[in-house]
Amino acid sequence: MGLLQAALVGLIALIITPGQMFYFDVAPKVAVLLVGTAAFLIGSTRQRAIPRPYTFWVWLAASLVSLGVSTVFSANRALSVFGGTWREYGAVTQAAVLLLAAMVAWNVAGRQDSVKAMLRAVAAAAMASGAYGIAQYFGWDPLQPAAAYRVGEGIWTIVRPPGTMGYASYFATWLLMAVFLSLALAQWETRALWRRMAAAAAAVALVAMLLTGTRAAVLGLGAGGALWVWWSGYRIPRRVLAGAAMLAVCGVAFYISPPGRQLRSRVRWFVEDPWGGARPLLWRDSFRMGIRRPVAGFGPEVFSGTFPHFESKELAEAYPNFAHESPHNMFLDALVSQGIPGLIVLLGLCGAGFAAAWRLRRRNPQVAACLAAALTAGIVSQQFTAMTVPTAVLFFTTIALAVGLTSEATPSRPNIAWVVAAPVVGLALAYLAFRLVAADQALEKTKRGLDAADLRAASAAYDSYGRWRLPGAGADLWYSRALMDLARKSSDMALIERAFVQSEDAAERAIQGAEEPFNAWYNAAQLTALENNYAATERCLRAAILAHPYWFKPHWTLAQVLALQARREEAKREASLAVELDGGKDPEVAETLRQIRERASSHAP
């Protein structure tokens, strides 16, 4: 069982399916998590007694209860249960992560061989994913388009390798924790080959992490390294110091070399934006949002659609083209989604991990220091990034390993309730995983049909997606926009007409269940504008404004619609507000206001 759990943790980090699934860097990870957790539940016909101490298990149970309460009282229950499209981290996925952590802690209690298997799997995954990330930095990527993670042009081009995690920051956070877990394996292993492999995995993961240019991970590295030094009693082996010094020299040489130009461009970005962009204002507004519903929160995964009602005008003006999908802070995320109880249980789980690592110091101080450093690094890095499935699995697995290493093995015994409940829950998770994969593959077929201008095939595939997709977030908004793109590129009038009709239908469905209602309403406004249906366009734009009061685009578009109807004073007010909310970022917005004022002046008595 321990070997299978280790393989699952490694596979979740590595699996991506470009060309096979639409959300190829998210959906397969969630599916593997659900299927793996289901298999462990179905296969556990005997329940072991809960190992002591009970603190971790109390916090784990409290976390599941808090998750359930916040989902029941969610602002969008279906979305909270099954998750949004960008990370699919709803209540079902979060519960699976916690169940997997519980099974890891149960399995490793009193079984050091299981701990080694888990650490070996992490080190192997770190070696593979880190090597892939390094290759991405140097321009070799057979799986993903390089343009997706390149920013800027010419000498200021920045490359931020996403590895197998979908985004550089998530990749860096995972690698950061893997560095310290690989070091734990190097300290523990007795076989020279595994020690060298673990050390090499830590080095590769560290290099790949630095090449992502993620400030949060660098801060986490510093915090984790400082705690590691402290818990190690300031006695760092000479070979470790020599290795660190060699890496530092190589790092400086690489930084000033031609291949380091992309990294220097990223450092230049740091200097120009030392405070992390929108994060300080985002944190402030997210905290204000969280304390508005302190008991149950707003529910998991509803931040994108709910936060605009709490976003300050200051944040909107500073970053007018940003739609914030999360608070970019693990503790604020817990506060907003689950209220104060959710924040407390997350802090409690972190505390249980540190307490277990502290107890482990008596038996294995070096491994304890590495586990505590991994936990510290993960916490610090995720003060600036969102928690996703691979980072959550590794984070809670680290806590589970520390807890398991300080617990004694307990005997297995038959338990009728467990024998009945575990397979039922497991089968439910397996069914959800099957539907997730089937829907995502159908969506990928839809995309291929649209790319080939085969509307019939795309429509059939999208119908299949509609049958298999889980409730909550859907792809109707994407499908509506993709159909309009197809219509704009085509010269076939029959195809254009069919695409337009289907786009309108998808736009209407998107309004009913969109993760971001303001985007759905704005898309519907654009479609009605093509029909010169000014009344419907105005209605959709005002609905978009109601869903996101400080977003400049619906105000700007509404000003143009009002101007076409000769409602000059109303148009002027909306255009002025659009200019104010845009913060001077888009010259065309100011140009619209100038033109409206000119027309109003020419018609003045």
Side-chain angles (χ1 to χ4, degrees):
M1 185 67 75
L3 185 59
L4 293 177
Q5 289 176 349
L8 178 65
V9 171
L11 183 59
I12 289 171
L14 293 176
I15 187 168
I16 54 173
T17 56
Q20 300 300 315
M21 300 179 74
F22 186 80
Y23 298 106
F24 65 87
D25 51 6
V26 177
K29 297 180 186 299
V30 177
V32 168
L33 169 67
L34 296 180
V35 170
T37 306
F40 297 140
L41 287 172
I42 294 171
S44 57
T45 57
R46 297 170 68 87
Q47 184 189 31
R48 295 170 57 198
I50 294 176
R52 295 182 179 181
Y54 298 137
T55 308
F56 168 73
W57 305 98
V58 170
W59 286 120
L60 199 66
S63 182
L64 289 170
V65 170
S66 172
L67 187 62
V69 170
S70 65
T71 301
V72 168
F73 293 98
S74 169
N76 186 333
R77 197 169 299 163
L79 187 59
S80 289
V81 171
F82 298 108
T85 55
W86 74 278
R87 64 173 176 176
E88 298 184 19
Y89 198 54
V92 169
T93 305
Q94 292 187 46
V97 170
L98 294 173
L99 286 173
L100 177 60
M103 288 185 285
V104 168
W106 245 318
N107 186 65
V108 303
R111 300 177 179 176
Q112 293 192 5
D113 56 331
S114 294
V115 179
K116 279 189 180 181
M118 187 66 68
L119 293 177
R120 286 173 178 175
V122 171
M127 177 78 81
S129 61
Y132 178 44
I134 293 171
Q136 287 178 321
Y137 179 88
F138 286 102
W140 185 80
D141 190 344
L143 300 177
Q144 302 176 63
Y149 48 87
R150 289 179 180 268
V151 182
E153 297 178 355
I155 62 171
W156 302 121
T157 299
I158 297 170
V159 178
R160 301 199 64 198
T164 56
M165 309 291 172
Y167 185 63
S169 295
Y170 312 147
F171 183 43
T173 299
W174 192 93
L175 289 171
L176 174 63
M177 291 185 284
V179 167
F180 289 107
L181 293 177
S182 297
L183 290 176
L185 179 63
Q187 295 289 336
W188 200 339
E189 282 287 354
T190 55
R191 297 173 59 183
L193 178 63
W194 276 108
R195 283 202 307 271
R196 294 193 188 99
M197 192 280 285
V204 170
L206 177 62
V207 171
M209 185 272 289
L210 293 174
L211 290 179
T212 66
T214 303
R215 286 174 285 188
V218 173
L219 287 174
L221 179 66
L227 185 136
W228 180 56
V229 171
W230 174 43
W231 278 35
S232 299
Y234 302 98
R235 293 186 298 273
I236 304 175
R238 290 183 179 179
R239 65 179 184 276
V240 174
L241 288 174
M246 184 177 298
L247 281 175
V249 171
C250 292
V252 171
F254 173 78
Y255 181 79
I256 62 177
S257 70
R261 175 176 54 81
Q262 297 164 150
L263 200 57
R264 294 196 296 274
S265 297
R266 179 61 176 160
V267 172
R268 175 176 173 267
W269 193 343
F270 292 167
V271 175
E272 293 177 350
D273 180 23
W275 300 108
R279 284 181 179 83
L281 294 174
L282 176 62
W283 292 336
R284 184 198 64 187
D285 293 350
S286 297
F287 178 76
R288 290 175 179 173
M289 176 182 173
I291 60 177
R292 290 288 293 274
R293 293 187 66 174
V295 178
F298 290 85
E301 294 289 85
V302 301
F303 188 87
S304 297
T306 308
F307 177 70
H309 297 288
F310 301 91
E311 183 178 4
S312 64
K313 190 177 180 182
E314 183 183 4
L315 176 57
E317 291 176 2
Y319 299 92
N321 289 301
F322 273 56
H324 305 283
E325 76 283 349
S326 82
H328 287 275
N329 179 291
M330 62 182 287
F331 294 125
L332 283 175
D333 203 350
L335 174 65
V336 168
S337 61
Q338 295 177 239
I340 293 175
L343 173 61
I344 290 173
V345 295
L346 179 57
L347 289 169
L349 284 170
C350 294
F354 281 117
W358 184 263
R359 292 192 300 272
L360 184 61
R361 292 182 72 196
R362 301 169 189 169
R363 284 186 268 170
N364 198 328
Q366 292 298 326
V367 172
C370 291
L371 291 176
L375 191 56
T376 300
I379 290 173
V380 170
S381 182
Q382 290 177 112
Q383 298 311 294
F384 306 90
T385 62
M387 186 175 279
T388 60
V389 169
T391 56
V393 166
L394 193 60
F395 183 79
F396 288 110
T397 295
T398 301
I399 295 175
L401 289 175
V403 170
L405 281 169
T406 55
S407 303
E408 298 299 327
T410 54
S412 299
R413 59 171 183 261
N415 184 298
I416 298 301
W418 177 261
V419 169
V420 172
V424 170
V425 175
L427 288 172
L429 292 178
Y431 171 71
L432 294 176
F434 173 77
R435 286 191 58 173
L436 173 66
V437 171
D440 211 83
Q441 287 181 333
L443 200 56
E444 175 62 21
K445 291 179 181 177
T446 303
K447 178 180 177 296
R448 290 202 295 265
L450 292 174
D451 290 343
D454 188 346
L455 185 56
R456 187 182 301 275
S459 299
Y462 196 74
D463 287 342
S464 176
Y465 165 76
R467 290 191 296 271
W468 288 112
R469 65 175 286 263
L470 295 168
D476 288 321
L477 180 58
W478 167 82
Y479 189 52
S480 176
R481 290 174 171 172
L483 285 168
M484 289 312 300
D485 286 341
L486 174 62
R488 278 193 288 267
K489 295 174 184 176
S490 178
S491 57
D492 184 340
M493 293 306 299
L495 184 147
I496 292 172
E497 184 177 352
R498 294 198 307 272
F500 188 79
V501 170
Q502 290 187 33
S503 179
E504 285 187 313
D505 292 341
E508 187 65 30
R509 292 194 302 269
I511 291 172
Q512 306 304 319
E515 292 178 72
E516 299 177 343
F518 51 90
N519 260 328
W521 281 112
Y522 189 73
N523 178 67
Q526 292 176 309
L527 288 172
T528 56
L530 292 174
E531 299 176 321
N532 295 322
N533 188 344
Y534 295 147
T537 302
E538 181 179 349
R539 176 177 60 84
C540 292
L541 288 172
R542 292 196 184 279
I545 290 169
L546 189 64
H548 198 327
Y550 291 139
W551 187 26
F552 80 95
K553 277 189 177 180
H555 292 283
W556 176 38
T557 306
L558 180 58
Q560 298 173 67
V561 171
L562 293 171
L564 289 172
Q565 300 176 73
R567 296 160 63 179
R568 298 181 185 89
E569 290 304 316
E570 294 176 83
K572 193 190 303 182
R573 283 197 300 270
E574 291 295 333
S576 298
L577 183 55
V579 170
E580 184 180 352
L581 294 176
D582 183 54
K585 303 295 192 302
D586 300 286
E588 56 269 29
V589 180
E591 177 62 22
T592 298
L593 176 59
R594 187 191 65 79
Q595 291 176 1
I596 290 174
R597 283 174 173 170
E598 280 186 0
R599 291 171 189 165
S601 300
S602 65
H603 287 83

